[in-house]
Amino acid sequence: MQSSEAVSTKLRRIAENARRMKATALTSLSHHIDVEWLREAVRRTRRDGAVGVDGQTWRGYERNLDANLQDLLTRFKSGRYRAPAVRRVHIPKGDGRTRPIGIPTLEDKVLQRAVAMALSAVYEQDFLDCSFGFRPNRSAHQALTQVRETMMQMWRGWLIEVDIQSFFDTIDHGRLREILERRVRDGVILRQIGKWLNAGVLEAGELSYPDQGTPQGGVISPLLANIYLHEVLDRWIEEEVKPKARGNVVLVRYADDFVILCRSEQDARELYARLPERFAAYNLKLHPEKTRMLSFDQPPRQGPKEHMSFDFLGFTHLWMKNQKGIWVVFQVTSRKRLTRSLKAVRAWLRQHLHAPIAVQHRGLCAKLHGHYAYFGRPGNARALSSFRNELRREWRRFLSRRSHKGRIFWGRYRKLLEHYPLPYARIGPPPAHLAAKP
């Protein structure tokens, strides 16, 4: 506890200096990192992840933790620490493709966490309110609430939906270093980040050295991505676009997922035309098919109702009438995310086909609670109920596959559910928003 308090005091001191010297590059960050700092980094690091290329486990490393951390600190400060190769695996995405994820070694996870703690204390003084991803005390739900409230406030306007092609794999190392050096000029920190950027990637037994992108899977990657997009997008919108806009312009960004809402159609069209050039200046490309501009006006009282919709952070946003007959913005589980969640349930049931029913029940309840925790937004009860019903059908189908009596009919299955009930969703109060105009 004393160690955590000491580190917290150092972090506050770094933050105060960064806030006081916003126009100055800080030159002495690494001297704050000591064995206590690394021990706190260990405490903040997940322990259920896969092992890296060296096979080191937490159990073995913690047998002599203080000596191991002192050795790691010495190698880090002296520049003798060599960033090991990252083991790359691929996880499925909802569209049938896969996402590459890197698995750092245990020591790399600890050191990345330690450096990220120092950098985060600095950049949290610079990051803007439009950014919600991978930041302390910020969440995807806050980003979703911001989008909904902005649409309700504007009532009618234009939305730019943007998709960056392979963002984490195409971050320009040279431009990232330039951006970092404007705020941090600690040689030890910058040298270590350079080693991580140039570390090899081990995939299917072959070692390669990418010349762009950040080390996905490590805790340093989301922070570097936020720093990059803070310069590419956030500051540009705040300092160059908004002052010249005719109406309100609101950016909502969660990591590399973002939307821009504009009150004026002319502002939206001009911004939509400028975005590709702005991102190209930082060697980033926008997906031509997934980047689009659309109107989000409230449907007219009379005539055909064209239901505009767009997906953001796993939710489909659309205008619908509430129970009082007033048009409001609803956020419902997107079809793509619902399909992906059910696919994950089937894969889990297939893997645990012959597990005891009690074990299956606990696992399925955990999946339902996790789904409810994220998708339990006001107005999304129907989609949550649909997910629960589909999960219940899948469980029956897989139980039938292993039953020597063949298919389990619904009567027998309902009796089983009395002993192993599946939880229903609970949705909290709706987020605060402006009342709809009459």
Side-chain angles (χ1 to χ4, degrees), residues 1-9 35-40:
M1 181 62 69
Q2 291 180 351
S3 175
S4 296
E5 291 177 356
V7 173
S8 295
T9 300
V35 171
E36 284 188 345
W37 188 289
L38 292 179
R39 193 179 293 115
E40 177 64 14

Side-chain angles (χ1 to χ4, degrees), residues 147-185:
V147 170
R148 184 179 188 273
E149 290 185 350
T150 301
M151 293 178 68
M152 296 288 288
Q153 289 169 354
M154 289 187 180
W155 200 243
R156 54 177 54 87
W158 294 80
L159 178 136
I160 302 174
E161 185 181 11
V162 184
D163 183 270
I164 309 174
Q165 286 186 334
S166 304
F167 170 67
F168 284 92
D169 294 329
T170 57
I171 292 178
D172 186 280
H173 289 177
R175 297 306 299 268
L176 177 58
R177 291 190 185 96
E178 291 175 9
I179 294 170
L180 285 168
E181 288 173 1
R182 294 173 193 167
R183 200 67 170 103
V184 176
R185 290 184 186 167

Side-chain angles (χ1 to χ4, degrees), residues 380-398:
N380 197 30
R382 182 177 297 179
L384 297 180
S385 178
S386 175
F387 177 74
R388 180 184 180 276
N389 290 338
E390 290 295 329
L391 181 144
R392 186 177 62 169
R393 292 190 187 96
E394 290 297 329
W395 193 18
R396 171 176 169 265
R397 187 167 69 88
F398 275 87

Side-chain angles (χ1 to χ4, degrees), residues 110-162:
V110 172
L111 192 54
Q112 284 190 31
R113 175 68 67 183
V115 172
M117 287 161 54
L119 288 179
S120 180
V122 173
Y123 279 98
E124 276 301 312
Q125 316 315 310
D126 299 346
F127 288 159
L128 303 178
D129 289 340
C130 61
S131 169
F132 294 89
F134 302 104
R135 294 181 57 190
N137 303 316
R138 290 190 159 240
S139 68
H141 281 183
Q142 292 174 329
L144 290 163
T145 299
Q146 181 65 59
V147 170
R148 184 179 188 273
E149 290 185 350
T150 301
M151 293 178 68
M152 296 288 288
Q153 289 169 354
M154 289 187 180
W155 200 243
R156 54 177 54 87
W158 294 80
L159 178 136
I160 302 174
E161 185 181 11
V162 184

